[in-house]
Amino acid sequence: MSNPVSKLVSAPWLHDNLKSVKVLDCSWYLPFLNRNSKEEFAKSHIPGARFFGIDEIKDFSKTDLPHMLPLPEFFGASMDKLGISNDDHVIVYDTAGVGPACRVFWTLHAMGHDRVSVLDGGFPSWVAEKYEAEAGEPQAKSPGSEKYTAQPVSQLVCDYADVVGNIEELKVSGGTQGRQIVDARPNGRFTGRDPEFRPGLSSGHMPHAISVPFTEVTEASDPANPQVQKLKSPADIRRVFESRGVDLNRPIIASCGSGVTASVLYFALLNAGVSPRNLAVYDGSWTEYALNPYSEIIKDI
């Protein structure tokens, strides 16, 4: 990686460096919450930020899956529209603190753009510092002379065939061989006790998967601002995974409902010192897996 940048930045750091970076608001909500992230962005956002629509910059050919990784050409064209070049240091944030922004962090990594950081605590941390926000739609960017070129990093992405083949390896070896699968969904959906958000989609989990809910890697560290969720320390993140039986020296596939919170685990593991060579995100995640009638689904109830 050239010109490495910190994976995690604070609101004061961003405030001091705002003119030297490109900022993306990556806020996203589950449909049943009835919140519109783009409308909220227009009402208030970090000055100079652009809006990255997770449900807009995606692969539209995968009609059954909500926001699959976009094709490289479409991603590059989308970056051009956002005024982002291959050399830019990009800061991604959301209204959750450490949430959907991690999906865009992983997307940029998967497209070969490693100069990207997540704002720790997201927009709530910016507001808590009483920094200025702005409203309205940003001015359209004039196209530059040099087009953004995506350079996909295939080893960071798993598809259905990869996961099914890996499950077979885990089953044959009793879990000792193959990549570990960590599932970021709430434990109730993992065990099959609680339903999935998508009507008709079975809950449960893949064989040999390990439950590590994404909420376990963040915390409200400031009692004066309990609404600000920040990433836990590297040591605490390692303890979370190790307490659930995850071997941090073995390769890991992160999965969730649709690929968003799996990216939170990907981001947390990177911050905990796990090599990116040992990490991948299952892009279609549980939605793709459980929609396939041939998938083996385990329920612990």
Side-chain angles (χ1 to χ4, degrees):
M1 293 185 178
S2 60
N3 299 318
V5 298
S6 174
K7 292 179 283 293
L8 193 69
V9 299
S10 67
W13 184 94
L14 177 57
H15 183 262
D16 292 344
N17 293 273
L18 197 55
K19 292 183 179 180
S20 62
V21 296
K22 298 290 179 68
V23 184
L24 295 177
D25 185 322
C26 311
S27 301
W28 174 86
Y29 304 107
L30 287 162
F32 73 87
L33 293 174
N34 294 316
R35 291 180 64 176
N36 188 310
S37 53
K38 199 167 188 178
E39 289 180 358
E40 292 183 13
F41 169 83
K43 291 178 180 176
S44 185
H45 56 263
I46 292 174
R50 311 279 294 178
F51 181 76
F52 185 108
I54 287 176
D55 287 330
E56 298 170 5
I57 302 175
K58 65 175 185 177
D59 184 350
F60 285 90
S61 70
K62 306 289 181 67
T63 55
D64 283 342
L65 303 170
H67 29 247
M68 295 286 279
L69 200 65
L71 296 176
E73 296 78 9
F74 180 65
F75 182 80
S78 300
M79 293 299 98
D80 288 337
K81 291 179 181 177
L82 291 170
I84 291 174
S85 73
N86 286 86
D87 295 327
D88 282 331
H89 181 189
V90 181
I91 310 298
V92 293
Y93 77 89
D94 56 48
T95 55
V98 182
C102 295
R103 170 72 186 190
V104 181
F105 176 94
W106 170 75
T107 297
L108 283 159
H109 270 202
M111 292 296 173
H113 193 127
D114 49 271
R115 287 178 56 78
V116 54
S117 309
V118 172
L119 174 59
D120 199 13
F123 192 51
S125 69
W126 183 268
V127 173
E129 294 285 350
K130 297 182 171 51
Y131 294 142
E132 178 186 2
E134 67 179 13
E137 292 289 341
Q139 290 185 341
K141 297 283 185 181
S142 56
S145 58
E146 187 174 337
K147 298 296 184 182
Y148 188 99
T149 302
Q151 299 172 317
V153 183
S154 59
Q155 61 264 35
L156 294 181
V157 188
C158 283
D159 61 16
Y160 181 81
D162 294 329
V163 168
V164 170
N166 185 72
I167 288 172
E168 287 307 308
E169 190 174 357
L170 288 167
K171 288 169 66 176
V172 168
S173 66
T176 62
Q177 301 295 319
R179 290 183 282 183
Q180 301 161 104
I181 301 172
V182 294
D183 193 319
R185 292 173 299 152
N187 188 256
R189 288 162 59 196
F190 177 89
T191 63
R193 183 183 68 247
D194 297 334
E196 289 295 316
F197 296 127
R198 181 166 176 156
L201 189 70
S202 174
S203 57
H205 63 85
M206 304 169 204
H208 288 280
I210 302 169
S211 176
V212 186
F214 76 98
T215 51
E216 295 296 311
V217 300
T218 64
E219 62 183 353
S221 57
D222 182 1
N225 295 289
Q227 78 281 8
V228 180
Q229 287 288 322
K230 293 188 175 183
L231 193 69
K232 287 183 177 179
S233 71
D236 284 345
I237 292 169
R238 294 181 72 89
R239 277 192 285 270
V240 166
F241 282 91
E242 290 169 347
S243 70
R244 285 159 175 77
V246 179
D247 183 347
L248 296 178
N249 294 311
R250 284 179 56 196
I252 295 169
I253 298 171
S255 181
C256 61
S258 62
V260 175
T261 58
S263 303
V264 176
L265 297 189
Y266 168 82
F267 180 69
L269 286 162
L270 280 181
N271 277 273
V274 176
S275 169
R277 295 189 298 273
N278 275 351
L279 295 175
V281 169
Y282 177 19
D283 193 17
S285 279
W286 184 252
T287 299
E288 180 179 50
Y289 184 84
L291 280 174
N292 192 311
Y294 296 101
S295 296
E296 182 179 357
I297 294 176
I298 307 295
K299 298 199 177 198
D300 304 322
I301 53 175

